[in-house]
Amino acid sequence: MNTLVRPPRLAPGARVAVVAPSGPVPEERLQAGLDVLRGWDLDPVVAPHVLDRHGEFGYLAGTDAQRAADLQGAWCDPSVDAVLCARGGYGTQRFVDLLDWDAMRAAGPKVFVGFSDITVLHEAFATRLGLATLHGPMAAGVDFVKNTRAQEHLRATLFDPESVRTIASTGSALVPGRARGVTLGGCLCLLAAERGTPHARTSARGGLLCLEDVGEETYRLDRYLTQLLRAGFLDGVRGVLLGSWQECEPYERVRALLLDRLGGLRVPVVEQFGFGHGEGALTIPFGVSAVLDADAGTLTLDEPALV
């Protein structure tokens, strides 16, 4: 697995576009998130359909064509330096094939931030644009609006990425050891659902795989992990970082499953690393070379996430 192109860091006054690729966005949370971004001396602009709701399927923020147009329009706007997702939910898989990847590639590298359902776009940006992305809090998310640690870690990554080259967690080793690889991953159920699709990687070989999920029963997590194992996606993976399992079953039950399914890989695995749907989520760059120290609970990037 190769490292990907790192986009430029942000500077005061940078214009950032907020898009809603998945579910509908509560207006009050969006406004609160915009206030945070303005407090960072950024210039946030809201894509046209962010506050829309699909007429028939209320779990979508507008139609597939509208959500695709918002993302592509923001990415291809030369005045925009970064694209931040407003929230997750569901819906990215429905429009990812509508995007003009040639046009987006021609627009050049930019910062892209999101998580959860946005896992689909992290994979597509890697395979179609060769671009490193940030798995981090979203502009209208509760964690981004209310949690200082989530805000400050993302802010440091955007403006001063050298200061967060070592990402330290309170996690511990599920399987001890150290490993070097290229970061990738996201929401477990989306990584499993993307198997066989045209925009997803076929393998995590050579990678440090980040996994987390929300609101899933243990047997479903078992299904997703087993799917990745049977599909050969985990063959040759160098290490695994496990984030939050918010609103899943009691963690000891989830932990037993993670050890059962991942322990046989014989690679370092760190648990409770602090990214994903949990409170105070850390920002994890995808597409960069790094060293995982499962015993110390650290991820040390070879280079800053942004140039």
Side-chain angles (χ1 to χ4, degrees):
M1 183 174 295
N2 297 320
T3 57
L4 304 178
V5 174
R6 294 173 296 140
R9 70 189 66 196
L10 300 187
R15 173 165 285 192
V16 297
V18 177
V19 300
S22 306
V25 179
E27 184 171 5
E28 65 278 8
R29 285 222 311 263
L30 174 64
Q31 294 304 324
L34 296 176
D35 287 342
V36 172
L37 296 173
R38 293 187 187 105
W40 294 356
D41 200 17
L42 294 172
D43 176 22
V45 294
V46 179
H49 302 288
V50 167
L51 292 174
D52 286 4
R53 185 182 290 266
H54 193 286
E56 185 174 3
F57 305 117
Y59 49 82
L60 300 172
T63 67
D64 299 341
Q66 288 170 337
R67 299 196 315 284
D70 275 4
L71 176 56
Q72 186 165 319
W75 195 262
C76 294
D77 183 342
S79 73
V80 169
D81 302 294
V83 175
L84 279 58
C85 296
R87 61 155 294 187
Y90 169 75
T92 303
Q93 286 180 304
R94 290 178 53 118
F95 79 80
V96 66
D97 299 313
L98 302 179
L99 296 169
D100 184 340
W101 291 102
D102 290 335
M104 293 176 68
R105 189 179 304 108
K110 300 180 182 186
V111 174
F112 180 74
V113 186
F115 77 105
S116 194
D117 194 57
I118 311 305
T119 297
V120 175
L121 290 172
H122 284 300
E123 284 286 282
F125 275 54
T127 59
R128 298 302 180 187
L129 304 183
L131 184 67
T133 53
L134 300 179
H135 183 278
M138 295 181 281
V142 174
D143 205 37
F144 178 76
V145 170
K146 296 185 176 181
N147 190 281
T148 300
R149 185 177 89 149
Q151 291 177 7
E152 290 307 311
H153 195 256
L154 176 59
R155 182 179 183 179
T157 305
L158 293 174
F159 289 96
D160 186 21
E162 289 88 356
S163 69
V164 285
R165 271 189 60 189
T166 294
I167 303 172
S169 76
T170 57
S172 57
L174 190 63
V175 179
R178 287 167 56 93
R180 177 184 296 278
V182 176
T183 54
L184 77 159
C187 193
L188 173 58
C189 66
L190 270 302
L191 290 170
E194 281 291 280
R195 294 307 95 221
T197 63
H199 303 299
R201 280 173 279 213
T202 58
S203 173
R205 182 176 296 277
L208 298 176
L209 180 62
C210 302
L211 297 174
E212 61 91 31
D213 217 316
V214 61
E216 295 284 1
E217 295 183 55
T218 303
Y219 83 90
R220 291 182 181 272
L221 298 176
D222 189 332
R223 176 187 295 160
Y224 305 142
L225 288 168
T226 301
Q227 164 69 2
L228 296 183
L229 287 163
R230 294 182 66 223
F233 182 73
L234 298 180
D235 293 353
V237 71
R238 299 280 180 81
V240 181
L241 294 84
L242 301 171
S244 62
W245 306 96
Q246 196 82 352
E247 300 175 23
C248 296
E249 295 188 73
Y251 182 65
E252 285 307 309
R253 182 168 169 80
V254 174
R255 185 180 190 271
L257 170 71
L258 296 171
L259 184 58
D260 176 83
R261 296 284 75 194
L262 299 173
L265 297 173
R266 301 185 183 279
V267 299
V269 180
V270 62
E271 61 179 334
Q272 297 183 310
F273 199 84
F275 61 89
H277 289 82
E279 186 176 348
L282 300 171
T283 298
I284 307 293
F286 285 170
V288 299
S289 179
V291 173
L292 167 64
D293 187 329
D295 302 87
T298 59
L299 180 72
T300 301
L301 311 179
D302 289 350
E303 297 178 298
L306 306 177
V307 296

